Amino acid sequence: MKNRTIKNLGEIALRVKDLDAMQQFYEDVVRLEFMKRFPKAAFFKIAEGYGGHTQILALFDRTANSERPEIAKSTVDHIAFGIDLEDFESEKKRLEDLGLNVTTSEHEWVHWRSLYFPDPEGNLVEFVCYDATI
């Protein structure tokens, strides 16, 4: 078996038509713990996660301009898997060596560092880890 760096499912992110209604639904009906609202996004805690990355449901306004126009075809924005911070650079290199276009991002409000890359059908995959230094 190959060396596995994935520790858990980090998040599920959906593109939604009515962010306010969806936020209310996941807060009041599903009863997820509300974390934070941005103008075009809302975040909910699903459960404790791994290594400082809480398992979350993220809702993104479908009408918002996106840096990734391919996601407009789907309700899924991305799927995230938790990894250890110590694996971040080696995973980035491994993915790039496989010929994948990898982008990075820092989410300072939750201290998360992310690698983003597409799957064969254009869905966005994220490897995310907790980094207390950001």
Side-chain angles (χ1 to χ4, degrees):
M1 179 180 213
K2 295 180 181 179
N3 184 15
R4 293 189 41 173
T5 57
I6 301 300
K7 305 301 181 192
N8 72 322
L9 179 65
E11 64 195 54
I12 298 172
L14 302 175
R15 289 276 165 189
V16 302
K17 292 178 184 175
D18 186 336
L19 183 59
D20 292 332
M22 290 292 278
Q23 178 180 336
Q24 183 178 2
F25 176 83
Y26 281 99
E27 194 167 357
D28 297 340
V29 176
V30 179
R31 299 178 71 186
L32 292 178
E33 181 182 334
F34 177 73
M35 290 176 67
K36 188 168 178 86
R37 171 73 186 246
F38 292 95
K40 299 290 183 178
F43 294 83
F44 294 89
K45 178 179 178 178
I46 295 172
E48 294 301 323
Y50 175 83
H53 185 285
T54 303
Q55 292 181 353
I56 65 168
L57 169 68
L59 304 175
F60 293 102
D61 186 332
R62 190 179 192 81
T63 64
N65 291 335
S66 174
E67 297 172 6
R68 301 179 312 270
E70 70 277 4
I71 64 173
K73 300 174 192 169
S74 170
T75 58
V76 175
D77 183 83
H78 67 276
I79 185 168
F81 297 98
I83 64 171
D84 283 325
L85 177 59
E86 67 189 33
D87 293 322
F88 186 86
E89 290 301 327
S90 62
E91 281 298 289
K92 181 177 184 292
K93 181 179 181 338
R94 184 183 70 82
L95 295 167
E96 290 172 337
D97 288 348
L98 291 171
L100 294 167
N101 179 21
V102 179
T103 58
T104 62
S105 185
E106 294 180 357
H107 309 285
E108 295 174 2
W109 71 279
V110 282
H111 303 285
W112 298 342
R113 184 179 302 272
S114 299
L115 301 170
Y116 294 98
F117 54 96
D119 74 10
E121 294 192 5
N123 299 300
L124 194 62
V125 178
E126 176 185 7
F127 283 2
V128 62
C129 59
Y130 182 78
D131 184 346
T133 67
I134 58 172

